[in-house]
């Protein structure tokens, strides 16, 4: 049997995490041993760590700070099984705690953030025709990018406290015939925010976003040509909100108050698509269809169809250099007073090896969200992110890096903000 190698990497900390891909990710890990350890020390300046609105009157809105991040990774391969494990801890200290002019904290109550990320993945080949994939990613954090499971943001704000996101996945791929394959998968995501105790006037993040998401899909693949596969698939989803708080209603009429689970949904998605290898260096995939969503706990909300799109293109254009771009359209949870959002997301990233020791990494993302139901019905917001990182490898053990990240939220609801961050640091690896 051929040796099958697969990997499940650590959850990447994106623009809001002050980090993008490193040179180590580009040139590959040290294969002489199954484990690796690293530590990063970084100083930074953040002009809006509280992610407060531009219109707000603030005191000490910006802050200098430093970050310390040790990391451990394990990649263990046997003839039929591969196991990956990752553990990352980050301590980020802010000199200032931003406050509004009246002295109230701005979603920012402590000088120190502590982020904990644990990931584990297993791939096992029962035969050359059947393969099993298991993975889990557990995060405690504050930044919106580490608290999401996919490309789409449910909240754009930094949230103090030990907020939890856990994502688990199971997949089974089977080659039934020379041209016919079948894939089954189940994904589960749990969200638990520290901020709780809200009201119908000011719902908490826990009341709005605590939830359990279930998704199961069945997908058939047919070999249309040497480099092309056709796809026909179905996905069932259920989202159960667990905040158990009042999140909407007339504050003077308790009979109108509704709780978190008024947003519970069940969805049925059907789609067609294709996967194609344009060259050995370039591959792409696209899935297009529709989602029928039923708010089964809400008699006042009608079930409806919305578009579903998931597409990506990857290109390894030179040694140590690659680029990717993607687009998605789907429903998602939101932190505004609405049933949910329909979000279109465009994302791109580039890693370019300038020379043997110097690496440039860039990423960008745009999200347009339109809200359904509630007080935010038909309102929209646009979220922009960009990140640029330059890393120099002094040797195989030590590298230095400098970078810049930009976030901007443009909102119909008056909560527009900008955020600029710059950082400088070193990473030691063994």
């Amino acid at each position: 049997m051929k040796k099958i190698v697969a990997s499940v990497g650590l959850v990447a900390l994106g623009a809001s995490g002050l980090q993008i891909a490193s040179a180590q990710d580009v040139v590959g890990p040290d294969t002489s041993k199954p484990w690796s350890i690293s530590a990063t020390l970084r100083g930074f300046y953040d002009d809006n760590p509280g992610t407060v609105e531009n219109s707000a009157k603030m005191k000490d809105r910006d802050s200098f700070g430093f970050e310390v991040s040790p990391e451990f990774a394990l990649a263990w391969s046997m003839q039929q099984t591969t196991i990956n494990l990752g553990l990352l801890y980050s301590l980020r200290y802010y000199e200032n705690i931003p406050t509004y002019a009246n002295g109230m904290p701005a979603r920012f109550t402590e000088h120190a953030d502590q982020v904990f990320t644990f990931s584990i993945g297993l791939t096992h080949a029962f035969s050359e025709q059947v393969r099993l994939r298991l993975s889990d990613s557990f995060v405690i954090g504050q930044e919106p990018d580490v608290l999401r499971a996919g490309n789409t943001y449910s909240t754009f704000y930094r949230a103090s406290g030990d907020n939890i996101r856990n994502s688990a996945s199971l997949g089974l791929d089977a080659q039934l015939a020379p041209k016919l394959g079948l894939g089954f998968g189940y994904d589960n995501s749990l969200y638990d925010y520290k901020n709780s105790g809200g009201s119908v006037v000011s719902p908490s993040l826990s009341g709005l976003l605590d939830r359990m998401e279930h998704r199961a899909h069945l997908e058939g693949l047919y070999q249309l040509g040497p480099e092309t596969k056709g796809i026909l698939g179905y996905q069932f989803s259920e989202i159960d909100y667990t905040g158990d708080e009042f999140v909407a209603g007339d504050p003077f009429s308790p009979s109108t108050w509704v709780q978190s689970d008024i947003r519970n949904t069940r969805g049925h998605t059907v789609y067609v698509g294709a996967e194609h290898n344009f060259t050995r260096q370039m591959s792409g995939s696209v899935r297009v269809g529709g989602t029928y969503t039923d708010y089964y706990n809400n008699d006042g909300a009608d079930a409806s169809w919305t578009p579903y799109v998931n597409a990506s293109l990857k290109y390894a254009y030179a040694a140590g250099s690659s680029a990717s771009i993607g687009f998605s359209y789907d429903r998602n949870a939101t932190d505004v007073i609405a049933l949910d959002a329909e979000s279109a997301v465009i994302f791109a990233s580039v890693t370019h090896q300038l020379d043997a020791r110097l690496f440039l990494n860039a990423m960008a993302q745009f999200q347009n969200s339109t809200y359904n139901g509630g007080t935010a019905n038909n309102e929209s917001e646009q979220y922009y992110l960009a990140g640029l990182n330059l890393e120099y490898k002094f040797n195989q053990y030590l590298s230095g890096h400098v970078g810049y990240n930009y976030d901007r939220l443009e909102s119909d609801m008056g909560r527009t903000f900008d955020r600029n961050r710059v950082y400088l640091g070193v990473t030691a690896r063994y």
Side-chain angles (χ1 to χ4, degrees):
M1 180 181 300
K2 296 180 181 178
K3 184 177 180 181
I4 297 177
V5 178
S7 64
V8 178
L10 286 174
V11 174
L13 301 184
S16 294
L18 294 174
Q19 182 175 322
I20 49 183
S22 68
Q24 181 74 1
D25 300 322
V26 177
V27 300
D30 181 2
T31 57
S32 63
K33 58 183 185 300
W35 56 270
S36 65
I37 57 174
S38 66
T40 296
L41 176 62
R42 176 182 292 152
F44 63 84
Y45 170 76
D46 188 335
D47 76 345
N48 189 10
T51 55
V52 297
E53 297 81 0
N54 291 344
S55 59
K57 295 181 179 180
M58 300 294 300
K59 295 190 295 184
D60 298 325
R61 171 176 163 140
D62 61 344
S63 180
F64 286 93
F66 68 87
E67 179 183 9
V68 179
S69 301
E71 181 178 358
F72 171 79
L74 172 69
W76 183 28
S77 295
M78 296 169 283
Q79 185 176 7
Q80 297 173 232
T81 306
T82 298
I83 299 174
N84 290 265
L85 184 146
L87 180 63
L88 171 68
Y89 172 77
S90 173
L91 173 65
R92 191 175 301 156
Y93 181 84
Y94 294 86
E95 181 183 9
N96 295 329
I97 298 179
T99 58
Y100 291 103
N102 62 5
M104 296 296 291
R107 306 184 190 92
F108 199 143
T109 58
E110 299 175 350
H111 284 282
D113 277 351
Q114 297 188 70
V115 179
F116 175 83
T117 302
F118 172 78
S119 64
I120 186 168
L122 179 148
T123 300
H124 178 74
F126 295 99
S127 67
E128 292 188 11
Q129 290 75 38
V130 181
R131 185 176 68 171
L132 174 70
R133 295 172 286 108
L134 297 170
S135 66
D136 187 79
S137 171
F138 174 82
V139 173
I140 298 176
Q142 297 79 34
E143 297 287 354
D145 60 340
V146 302
L147 295 172
R148 58 174 176 157
N151 299 317
T152 307
Y153 285 79
S154 297
T155 180
F156 310 113
Y157 291 108
R158 179 190 178 281
S160 289
D162 295 333
N163 309 292
I164 294 173
R165 189 268 296 157
N166 187 79
S167 300
S169 178
L170 177 152
L172 184 66
D173 302 316
Q175 192 70 31
L176 304 180
K179 290 190 175 183
L180 181 63
L182 187 67
F184 167 78
Y186 169 73
D187 300 292
N188 176 279
S189 295
L190 169 70
Y191 301 85
D192 185 5
Y193 282 81
K194 184 72 171 180
N195 174 255
S196 61
S199 65
V200 294
V201 177
S202 180
S204 69
L205 282 178
S206 182
L208 291 169
L209 291 177
D210 283 5
R211 63 197 187 277
M212 177 82 77
E213 296 187 355
H214 308 268
R215 287 183 172 85
H217 75 268
L218 185 65
E219 194 171 83
L221 296 90
Y222 186 78
Q223 197 78 38
L224 298 173
E227 303 296 337
T228 306
K229 294 179 181 179
I231 299 170
L232 177 64
Y234 165 78
Q235 176 180 270
F236 171 79
S237 63
E238 179 166 323
I239 302 177
D240 298 320
Y241 287 83
T242 58
D244 196 27
E245 293 184 8
F246 292 111
V247 295
D250 182 347
F252 302 105
S253 179
S255 63
T256 67
W257 297 358
V258 295
Q259 290 191 306
S260 307
D261 61 3
I262 198 74
R263 309 166 105 190
N264 288 3
T265 62
R266 292 192 182 105
H268 303 271
T269 303
V270 290
Y271 57 90
V272 296
E275 295 179 353
H276 181 72
N277 296 320
F278 298 94
T279 66
R280 289 185 177 181
Q281 293 77 35
M282 181 182 292
S283 63
S285 68
V286 61
R287 288 163 173 79
V288 179
T291 299
Y292 181 79
T293 302
D294 176 24
Y295 304 94
Y296 65 89
N297 238 13
N298 187 344
D299 295 334
D302 295 329
S304 61
W305 283 92
T306 52
Y308 169 81
V309 182
N310 195 326
S312 64
L313 182 66
K314 299 178 181 179
Y315 180 36
Y317 58 88
S321 301
S322 62
S324 64
I325 188 170
F327 174 79
S328 66
Y329 190 100
D330 204 356
R331 290 180 180 265
N332 61 277
T334 176
D335 65 347
V336 305
I337 303 177
L339 291 174
D340 59 16
E342 294 180 36
S343 296
V345 181
I346 301 173
F347 51 92
S349 65
V350 176
T351 296
H352 185 72
Q353 185 171 354
L354 299 172
D355 63 26
R357 295 179 179 272
L358 189 61
F359 296 82
L360 176 69
N361 301 278
M363 60 79 65
Q365 180 166 329
F366 168 74
Q367 176 174 323
N368 182 76
S369 296
T370 302
Y371 302 111
N372 302 312
T375 59
N377 188 43
N378 292 325
E379 301 282 0
S380 64
E381 293 182 314
Q382 295 77 44
Y383 191 41
Y384 303 83
L385 301 98
L388 187 66
N389 180 81
L390 192 66
E391 182 166 9
Y392 183 80
K393 287 178 65 70
F394 300 102
N395 52 51
Q396 69 181 96
Y397 303 110
L398 185 66
S399 64
H401 54 270
V402 60
Y404 167 74
N405 295 130
Y406 175 72
D407 302 44
R408 177 174 175 82
L409 175 66
E410 293 185 355
S411 174
D412 289 345
M413 296 172 288
R415 58 178 195 169
T416 296
F417 73 82
D418 294 275
R419 188 179 184 187
N420 295 274
R421 284 159 291 167
V422 293
Y423 58 88
L424 177 68
V426 293
T427 299
R429 301 181 178 90
Y430 178 73

